[in-house]
Amino acid sequence: MHSAPAHHAGTWSFRLGGMNGETWEIDMMIGDAELTGQGLGAQVIWAFVEALRAERPALRRVLIDPASENTRAIRAYAKAGFLPLAVLESEAGPVDLMRLDLPDGLDLAAFPSVRCQS
């Protein structure tokens, strides 16, 4: 299990480097219980991806594996642009492996539908 400082929405746990950039697997817990169900998930996910990309400019793919039963998280990741790859078995049960591709030169600000509004 990954842990994160209180000011972070999630953690990243490993990176794979290659000729086409880096791939990172992330693990997230989105917000306090009273903030769930308000459609904020995709915004939180993109804020996290933006912060990771700022630290790691070579980032080209992000992977995440929410529990298959966590349909709210899966919907939020899909809304943020993650695509399904496979359903895998883990020690805790089935997980949905998902990916988000970030091509070189992609401006994350070009996704206003998931960005926080000022």
Side-chain angles (χ1 to χ4, degrees):
M1 179 175 215
H2 305 289
S3 62
H7 64 280
H8 285 287
T11 61
W12 40 91
S13 57
F14 71 81
R15 126 182 111 89
L16 304 171
M19 290 175 46
N20 295 324
E22 297 178 352
T23 297
W24 283 75
E25 185 268 343
I26 63 172
D27 193 13
M28 299 184 73
M29 293 176 45
I30 301 174
D32 296 322
E34 64 269 8
L35 297 176
T36 62
Q38 297 182 28
L40 301 173
Q43 294 175 14
V44 171
I45 293 162
W46 268 102
F48 184 79
V49 170
E50 285 178 320
L52 179 57
R53 182 90 181 250
E55 286 186 25
R56 307 297 306 188
L59 179 68
R60 296 297 175 268
R61 176 174 281 180
V62 179
L63 301 174
I64 196 152
D65 60 349
S68 295
E69 66 188 28
N70 192 346
T71 56
R72 282 180 146 181
I74 293 168
R75 278 194 309 270
Y77 296 125
K79 185 177 176 183
F82 280 79
L83 300 173
L85 286 175
V87 176
L88 306 173
E89 284 298 323
S90 74
E91 292 178 11
V95 296
D96 286 29
L97 181 62
M98 303 177 79
R99 79 170 201 280
L100 175 66
D101 290 326
L102 302 168
D104 189 26
L106 175 68
D107 180 9
L108 296 180
F111 294 88
S113 64
V114 295
R115 291 187 49 77
C116 297
Q117 303 298 316
S118 316

